[in-house]
Every structure is written in C-alpha cells, then in structure tokens.
Amino acid sequence: MDVDALLLSRLQFAFTIAFHIIFPSFTIGLASYLAVLEGLWLGTRNEVFKTLYLFWLKIFAISFGMGVVTGVVLSYELGANWSVFSRVSAPVIGPLFAFEVLTAFFLEASFLGIMLFGWKKVGPGLHFTATVLVAVGTLISAFWIISANSWMQHPAGFSILPNGDLIATDWFKVVFSPSFPARFAHMTLAAYLTTALVIGAASAWRLLKVGDEPESKMSLRMAIGMFAIVAPLQLLVGDLSGKSVEQLQPAKLAAIEAFWDTRSEQPFHIAAWPDRAIEGNRWEISIPKLGSLITGGSTDAEIRGLKSFEPRDRPPVAVVFWAFRVMVGLGIAMIILGLWGAWLCWKSAPERSRPYLMAAVAMGPAGFVAVIAGWVVAEVGRQPWVIYGVLRTEDAASPLLAGQVSLSLLGFLIVYAIIFSVGVLYILRLIAEGPVAGSHELVDEDRAPGTPLAAMPEDPG
C-alpha cells in the first residue's frame, strides 16, 4: 500500500474523530447537569432551576444531534479505510460496539423523545426519570467506547487464530483491560469539566452583558463548584492513568516525557524540542530528578528511554510531548479557576468580579482543547500500533490509493466545516439570548408539566 495513502487515512480518521469527540464530551456532562437541574426544581420548585433546565435542554438537543451526525461516519470509515483492522478485530471489538447499541443507544432512543418533547405531555416524575435515564445512557455509551479503546491500548483476554484473526477467550479481561478503570474515570471527569467550563463561560458572558440575572448567577456558582471539586480530582486520576502507562506502554511514557536514555534520576522537561533524527532534545527546560519522582515514585527510579526501543517502534515524540503539556497546562488553569471562584464565593460574590468573569469566558473552550489533546496523547502515543503489540497501523489499513483517500478527506473537511460552523453559531446565538429568552419556546408558562391540553380553557379567539 502507498505510504501516502496510509498517512492520509490516519489524518482523515484523526480529523473526523476529533470533531466527533467534541460533542460527546459535552453532552455526557450536560445530560447529568440537566438531571441535577430538574431534580433541584422538583425538590425546591425554584423557577430558576426550571428556566435553566429548559434553556440547556435546547442546547443539549442540538449537540446530541451533531454528535450522532459526526459519529455515524466513523463506522463506515473503519470499513473503508481500515478493513484489515475491522476483519481481524471484529470478533473482539464488534461485540463491544454491539453492547453499546443494546445498552446505551436503546436507552437513549427510548427516553430522549420524552425528555425533549414530553414536558407538556407527561407527568413531572416520568419526565425526570427520562432525563436521568438519558444521562445514564450517555455514561454507558462512554463505558463501552472507553472499554474498546482501552483494549486496543492494552489487549487482554484474547488469542490469535491460525489465520491471524483475533478471538476473545475471557470477556471480563476484554471489557476490563488493565488501563480501563483509570481511563474511564479520566474521560468521565473530563466530560464534566468540559460541560462546566461551557456553562461557566455562558453564565459569565451573560453577567458581563446584562449584570444581574438570577439564572446566570446560579449557573455560574454551580459551575464553580464543579471546577473546584472535579479539576483537582482529575489531576489525581490523570496521575493514576499515567502510572498505568508507565507499566503498560513504556514507549508512550518515554515520548510523553521526551526521555531518550534509560536512567534513574530522570529530569522533568517543562519544555523541550524533541528530535527523532538526533535521538535527543535540541533544547530543554528541565527540573532535575523530578521526572523519575513523578513517573516512578522515587528519584532513584529507573525509567526507560526511547533509545531502548527500535526506531520503528517509537511514537512521534514531539506531537505526544506537546499535546500532553497542553492538556496538563489547561488542567492546571482549570484548578486555578476553580479555587479562585471558590474563594470569591466565600469572600464576596464571583458575579461581581469582572476579572473572574472574563477569565471564565476565556476558559470556555479549554475543556474541548484538553480533551482533544488528551486523545492525541493516547492515540498518537500508541503508534506504530493500532492494537498495541498485536497489529501495526501500516498492516491494518485498506489497500487504497492516495488519490482515493485525499478525495474523501477533502469531502469530510467541507461537510464537517459546514455542519460544525452552523451548529456552533446557532448554539452561541442561543447562549447570547440568555436562559430566560431561550427557555420560553419549550414550555407554556400557563400550564404545568403533564397537564393535558384538554384541561386548559379554550381560546375564545
């Protein structure tokens, strides 16, 4: 197969899945947020919670639809561009995707309609149940996707047939591969942080524009609570995930930290310019011994370097190194934003701090960037393997010509740019209208949830 076609196929899949992951990482957290809002409204009958629920429900509907549209193409892409991978791994990966459909998609499809359109048609208890089940469905979907990807990162519970195909021998080990628990927790917390950052940015924007708006003040404080609790927790979970990388994928860890030589007392490179040609860093800003301490738990811990691996088994170092630092840097910024907001809530009121509101608006996209950077670390760091240690990426691709792949890649670029631009612009327009204006279209304020139309007085006109 033409090497250029392989590169183009990788770029195409990276592009499409990067666009797709934006929406699930938002809707997973937003579905749970909606469940919390509706539960608080049912418990307190505070109209602020109802208004916020109806407002963010519209944005959830758009984001969920865009996630479906951008995700459907991935299954076709696996068959068209990665047919060898699909054939070899289907007996293992296929059932995991099927489980996602049976458990998550069916659950979401059954109750999403009630959640979106049942406010005027069903009782509040049933509507709240539908919202909770949709939120649970998004988490179940994430469970199976992370399970499948974790198995590709560290395959377990399988055997190789004489024809080269794979078959599961222990489904428990397949589903719960060694890296799965930490990676699932890491992705779930990332989704909650991504949602909280968007809600915090939208609330801060409204407060900067209109000043006193009870709904925006409430949602800002709720977002701050999520920053303050989840962002530090994410740092701990990320560290656990990194420890598993050291044990299961030492080449990826070496690329993440730009370690070239195997040694103890590895430094921690704050910034560096890794160069595969010279098998070293052209320049670096480092803290002595800290690399071994962070990755191995002791400054005397010996950490393998990239030179201990064959050149063909080394991942692209610079991409992995810098993507990891983007992710961690944004994570630290989230922790600072959360602690700053918590301090303001304790001392005064965050909605009266213009610098904090501006910082919250600026951090709005940070969750999406961090999620994409994290997936770049996970997927590029796994190279040159599509199934780690079992199937190389170059052996997993379909025998396509570069022209064929470039044509489909161009088509995806155009279509995705249109879909993404229109969807995001509409979401931003809704946010600009604010929660009060944005919630009026979904509910008749004169009728409580579940009140049938026949029970309403007839329109004399």
Side-chain angles (χ1 to χ4, degrees):
M1 195 192 85
D2 194 325
V3 175
D4 290 336
L6 172 62
L7 178 60
L8 288 170
S9 292
R10 291 178 61 191
L11 290 174
Q12 179 174 298
F13 196 81
F15 171 77
T16 51
I17 202 168
F19 259 83
H20 171 66
I21 195 62
I22 288 173
F23 300 105
S25 63
F26 181 47
T27 54
I28 289 171
L30 189 54
S32 296
Y33 180 62
L34 288 170
V36 170
L37 287 175
E38 190 168 9
L40 289 172
W41 178 68
L42 290 173
T44 65
R45 293 296 172 176
N46 186 336
E47 292 296 306
V48 169
F49 295 122
K50 183 182 79 171
T51 302
L52 285 171
Y53 175 88
L54 294 171
F55 170 63
W56 286 105
L57 181 62
K58 295 175 65 177
I59 296 174
F60 173 81
I62 299 167
S63 302
F64 190 90
M66 293 177 67
V68 172
V69 170
T70 56
V72 166
V73 70
L74 297 175
S75 59
Y76 295 100
E77 216 170 337
L78 287 174
N81 295 71
W82 304 98
S83 58
V84 178
F85 164 76
S86 299
R87 176 183 59 80
V88 169
S89 64
V92 180
I93 294 291
L96 299 183
F97 291 156
F99 294 152
E100 182 198 9
V101 173
L102 291 172
T103 57
F105 284 2
F106 281 13
L107 186 64
E108 292 167 344
S110 299
F111 293 96
L112 184 63
I114 299 174
M115 178 183 175
L116 296 180
F117 308 111
W119 185 268
K120 306 174 186 178
K121 299 176 176 62
V122 302
L126 177 56
H127 193 275
F128 176 61
T129 300
T131 302
V132 171
L133 290 176
V134 169
V136 172
T138 62
L139 291 171
I140 294 174
S141 181
F143 174 94
W144 290 113
I145 293 301
I146 298 299
S147 175
N149 186 265
S150 297
W151 182 85
M152 293 166 63
Q153 297 284 345
H154 186 77
F158 75 101
S159 61
I160 303 176
L161 298 176
N163 65 352
D165 292 351
L166 308 179
I167 187 171
T169 57
D170 188 331
W171 279 108
F172 184 85
K173 291 182 179 179
V174 169
V175 174
F176 299 97
S177 60
S179 65
F180 168 74
R183 297 185 76 242
F184 178 60
H186 196 50
M187 183 62 209
T188 302
L189 293 177
Y192 287 152
L193 275 174
T194 298
T195 303
L197 287 165
V198 173
I199 292 170
S203 306
W205 174 262
R206 289 291 301 171
L207 291 168
L208 286 170
K209 290 297 181 182
V210 302
D212 188 23
E213 187 173 64
E215 292 79 8
S216 294
K217 290 164 64 176
M218 176 66 72
S219 56
L220 176 64
R221 288 173 176 266
M222 293 177 75
I224 288 173
M226 186 64 72
F227 302 154
I229 296 172
V230 176
L233 182 60
Q234 179 72 310
L235 183 65
L236 298 176
V237 173
D239 182 64
L240 290 176
S241 183
K243 293 293 193 296
S244 70
V245 170
E246 178 196 5
Q247 300 171 4
L248 305 176
Q249 294 180 316
K252 178 190 289 187
L253 175 69
I256 287 173
E257 302 296 351
F259 294 154
W260 293 93
D261 297 308
T262 300
R263 48 171 286 194
S264 59
E265 300 185 351
Q266 290 275 17
F268 174 74
H269 303 309
I270 300 172
W273 182 2
D275 190 335
R276 299 174 74 177
I278 65 171
E279 296 187 323
N281 301 325
R282 290 191 175 274
W283 58 264
E284 56 192 40
I285 301 174
S286 307
I287 301 176
K289 302 182 181 181
L290 186 59
S292 287
L293 179 63
I294 293 175
T295 57
S298 168
T299 57
D300 296 328
E302 182 177 270
I303 309 299
R304 290 183 66 180
L306 288 162
K307 290 181 181 178
S308 65
F309 303 92
E310 293 292 330
R312 66 191 298 263
D313 293 335
R314 301 171 188 169
V317 186
V319 175
V320 178
F321 177 85
W322 281 109
F324 180 78
R325 273 143 188 80
V326 168
M327 178 183 66
V328 172
L330 289 174
I332 293 173
M334 294 173 200
I335 293 174
I336 293 173
L337 188 70
L339 295 178
W340 183 9
W343 182 79
L344 287 173
C345 288
W346 178 55
K347 297 293 291 185
S348 55
E351 59 270 14
R352 293 202 294 266
S353 173
R354 187 174 181 84
Y356 185 80
L357 295 178
M358 294 176 66
V361 172
M363 284 291 290
F368 299 114
V369 178
V371 166
I372 293 175
W375 277 100
V376 168
V377 173
E379 301 306 297
V380 178
R382 186 181 61 204
Q383 296 302 315
W385 304 97
V386 67
I387 302 176
Y388 194 76
V390 177
L391 180 65
R392 287 183 175 271
T393 305
E394 61 185 1
D395 298 327
S398 303
L400 300 173
L401 299 176
Q404 295 172 312
V405 183
S406 60
L407 185 63
S408 61
L409 175 57
L410 179 61
F412 283 130
L413 288 170
I414 295 172
V415 173
Y416 273 52
I418 295 172
I419 293 175
F420 183 79
S421 299
V422 172
V424 170
L425 287 174
Y426 185 56
I427 289 174
L428 292 176
R429 177 184 170 186
L430 290 175
I431 290 175
E433 291 178 356
V436 176
S439 65
H440 285 165
E441 298 175 13
L442 281 179
V443 62
D444 186 339
E445 296 294 346
D446 296 327
R447 184 166 72 252
T451 305
L453 293 174
M456 298 300 296
E458 293 185 2
D459 186 351

